[in-house]
Amino acid sequence: MKRLIPSSITFALLIALQAGAQTFNHFTTTEKQPWQKQAAVRLQTKAQSQPALEVTDKAQGHVFRHWGTCFNELDLDAIMLLKPDERERIMHDLFAPDGDLHFTRGRLSMNANDYSRAWYSCDTVAGDFQLKHFNIEHDKQNVIRLIKMAQRWQPQLTFWVSPWSPPAWMKINQDYPVRSSQWNRQPKEKDYLLFDDGGMPATIEMQTAQGQAPHLFPRRLAAQTYFIQDPRYLQAYANMFCRFIDLYAEEGIPINMVMYQNEAYSYTPYPGCAWTADGTLRFNRDYLIPIMRQRHPEVDVCIGTLNTNRLDYVKHFIDGLKDQVKGVGLQWEGRQIIDSLRQRYPHLHIIQSESECGNGQMDWKAGEHTFFLLNEYIGRGCDEYFIWNFILADQGSSSWGWKQNALIQVRSADNTYRYTPEYYAVKHFSHFVEPGSQVLAFTPRTEETGTQAIVFRRTDGKRVVVCGNTSASPLPMTVKLGNRFMNISLAPHSFHTFVEK
């Protein structure tokens, strides 16, 4: 026999539920006071200012899939300066389901990257097309140690891989970098290779088309691909990706996505490789994609990482690959063509493949820039977001002289550490926005006011509003959610997260 609930109690329950649905917990960060819980905010029936965003109850948006970070040797060196319990606390905060940042994905490099201690590759034997000498012994002593520390806190971590440079013997300049500098040993005489293909025009000029960025990067495109365009080399290189995946799987590290090259348009004094559009198309279409389908059909091939805003150039090889790639990885100038790529290729996953690295200051300004990038990339359609270095010592100097930022800074003088403003910029997004959340609406940062905002709906139906103010003045903001209004005041230079109760 059913017991009837008195109507007065039912009414009270409905009022209580409605009140909860109209109330948001509020967390703030300023330079001096990171991650403070403030008084809850109640939605109101009237707007106190022109809404910066309007989200209907039926709004739908793209689904956000993963928060992630990269695993590098200099990160390992930094964290090993700390005591064992401090290392565990940091890894918990970054990776654990009950931690702060909830990273579930990792990015790896095949062979050395610019935050390796020195330059190396997995196969240094010239002409080893059968890969008899291919190995990951170097990684086992270095990056894999760091990965194992993270896996203790997040056993479900998955990974993707891209190389910075092929083995030197597979490149036309027979060296890891693209161009000479004081930081490498490449003879300056080889620099002409970049823009000289033996008689063809050294510069590829492109008209600024609709949707094309007015300031093109790079200003001059490489005239030839630095990877040797011989079928034996191309096939062996594609096979290297498969062998790398196999060997990492033996270590309990699952790789489920590959990209052919990191920043093919940065002509670097550190490990890198310049690729033309035709070279990119040829390698992916004729070698990498077929071998991955044959030997690793569970692994997605995405095109990237693209650090260029030359939209017509990018369209050339994406159109040539048709539906053979699952997504595209964008960083740096690639951010400027997100809108155009989403419109032209709505079926592709768009991945923010690496956060900008800064200048080693690890200050509040860097935190505000990362907060801006998070809002921009995710709001415009990216469904994965990757941090570059998550921990570095001192000013994060690389072996080739570049100072970079990290989420956590270790002071080598006394082996202490601190969480930087960039850490909290990420936390304001990733702590409450779980994989599977929908991105409902966003507004980019305005130069006039310095405000920005984005709204998510989590898998449990609760909404999350993340907004910030980069100006020196307090500013009002109103966000319309359904038929109610969130009226808030944003302190100068502040980050905010509002989570529906």
Side-chain angles (χ1 to χ4, degrees), residues 396-466:
S397 296
S398 73
S399 59
W400 57 278
W402 194 359
K403 296 177 180 179
Q404 295 188 2
N405 294 342
L407 303 183
I408 301 167
Q409 182 182 37
V410 177
R411 187 173 181 268
S412 63
D414 57 8
N415 294 348
T416 58
Y417 69 96
R418 72 179 182 100
Y419 289 7
T420 71
E422 287 179 82
Y423 180 95
Y424 294 102
V426 175
K427 184 174 179 178
H428 272 275
F429 285 80
S430 67
H431 190 68
F432 292 111
V433 178
E434 61 189 13
S437 299
Q438 288 189 53
V439 183
L440 301 182
F442 104 109
T443 182
R445 184 175 66 189
T446 62
E447 296 301 326
E448 295 80 11
T449 65
T451 58
Q452 56 200 306
I454 190 168
V455 180
F456 301 87
R457 182 188 293 119
R458 302 192 315 192
T459 56
D460 61 6
K462 296 185 182 298
R463 295 163 293 185
V464 179
V465 179
V466 183

Side-chain angles (χ1 to χ4, degrees), residues 99-284:
D100 279 355
L101 302 192
H102 304 158
F103 290 152
T104 58
R105 290 276 274 161
R107 181 184 178 185
L108 310 171
S109 65
M110 182 169 69
N111 311 317
N113 63 42
D114 54 315
Y115 265 63
S116 300
R117 294 188 207 97
W119 301 346
Y120 70 92
S121 76
C122 297
D123 195 334
T124 59
V125 179
D128 184 20
F129 300 117
Q130 301 304 315
L131 306 186
K132 291 183 179 180
H133 297 280
F134 187 92
N135 67 85
I136 59 168
E137 295 308 308
H138 182 95
D139 292 13
K140 289 179 182 179
Q141 302 303 315
N142 297 287
V143 170
I144 288 177
R145 290 175 59 199
L146 189 63
I147 292 170
K148 296 295 186 183
M149 294 168 65
Q151 285 180 317
R152 285 202 293 271
W153 292 103
Q154 179 47 273
Q156 302 305 312
L157 271 175
T158 58
F159 297 84
W160 65 277
V161 62
S162 67
W164 267 240
S165 173
W169 59 271
M170 293 183 135
K171 297 170 66 179
I172 62 173
N173 65 334
Q174 300 289 288
D175 208 340
Y176 291 101
V178 174
R179 57 183 175 84
S180 65
S181 83
Q182 62 176 316
W183 304 103
N184 63 50
R185 297 180 180 178
Q186 176 169 295
K188 190 173 181 61
E189 291 77 12
K190 290 186 178 182
D191 287 350
Y192 85 93
L193 296 171
L194 186 59
F195 299 122
D196 189 332
D197 65 355
M200 297 297 290
T203 304
I204 302 174
E205 299 293 348
M206 299 179 65
Q207 297 295 320
T208 301
Q210 184 176 5
Q212 185 83 46
H215 303 290
L216 298 179
F217 179 87
R219 297 299 298 170
R220 299 178 71 190
L221 287 163
Q224 57 179 331
T225 295
Y226 266 46
F227 191 93
I228 296 172
Q229 297 296 287
D230 178 314
R232 297 174 301 163
Y233 288 78
L234 291 162
Q235 188 60 63
Y237 195 38
N239 292 342
M240 281 186 178
F241 283 80
C242 295
R243 186 71 178 129
F244 189 88
I245 292 168
D246 292 338
L247 292 177
Y248 264 73
E250 292 177 7
E251 297 299 314
I253 301 170
I255 295 172
N256 60 14
M257 183 172 76
V258 298
M259 297 189 196
Y260 83 108
Q261 173 66 45
N262 174 72
E263 294 186 0
Y265 310 99
S266 287
Y267 305 138
T268 60
Y270 54 86
C273 189
W275 290 78
T276 64
D278 287 339
T280 295
L281 180 58
R282 180 182 302 111
F283 176 64
N284 282 276

Side-chain angles (χ1 to χ4, degrees), residues 5-25:
I5 301 175
S7 59
S8 59
I9 297 178
T10 303
F11 180 76
L13 287 171
L14 289 173
I15 293 297
L17 289 172
Q18 185 180 34
Q22 304 295 320
T23 305
F24 288 68
N25 287 325

Side-chain angles (χ1 to χ4, degrees), residues 23-75:
T23 305
F24 288 68
N25 287 325
H26 181 199
F27 299 84
T28 65
T29 289
T30 60
E31 184 174 8
K32 300 297 184 183
Q33 293 186 305
W35 200 255
Q36 302 293 308
K37 187 173 184 180
Q38 308 291 352
V41 172
R42 181 79 181 273
L43 299 188
Q44 300 174 0
T45 58
K46 293 183 179 180
Q48 294 180 359
S49 61
Q50 180 66 31
L53 282 177
E54 297 188 21
V55 181
T56 68
D57 290 333
K58 296 182 179 180
Q60 299 292 321
H62 72 274
V63 175
F64 187 82
R65 302 195 301 169
H66 290 291
W67 302 105
T69 190
C70 305
F71 289 81
N72 293 323
E73 287 183 2
L74 296 189
D75 291 57

